[in-house]
Amino acid sequence: FFKPKTAYEISACLVGSEMCIRDRVYRERRDALLDSLQAMMPEGTRWTIPAGGFYSWVTLPDGLDATAMLPRAVAELVAYVPGTGFYVDGQGVSNMRLSYCYPEPDRIREGVRRLSLVIESELEIARTFGTASAASPGSPTTPGESSTPGPDVA
């Protein structure tokens, strides 16, 4: 996020510059996403806390596949980018990238609510029928270890 450092940048921020207004808007949207994730995501779900940018990297609970889950999320009118699209070696199966730059905070909260229900449903299926998620190539082997591409891990 933009942090004014010079006297000019500080004065521009004080008079409501476009950059400072954008900073407040994106911070509000980021916070809506993070607060919603904290309040609604099932146990075992982890995410990054972005210091900048427009995305949070989410790691699903063990045994869930973000790509396999995507059609069910879309059916609930929620979309994300599966983590496998960010790797060339098969990693990212249990990861997804969530964007918060465009939707208003209320829509972000509703999207996280819907996504959390999809994840809960996937967890119930995994509990009932088991999971086929043996360690995939390039996946972490240490319990609790995450294959996160960014440095801002929560």
Side-chain angles (χ1 to χ4, degrees), residues 122-134:
E122 293 293 303
L123 286 168
E124 184 60 31
I125 291 168
R127 281 190 291 270
T128 302
F129 298 104
T131 179
S133 69

Side-chain angles (χ1 to χ4, degrees), residues 52-66:
F54 302 111
Y55 310 99
S56 182
W57 186 254
V58 176
T59 301
L60 295 170
D62 290 340
L64 298 190
D65 180 327

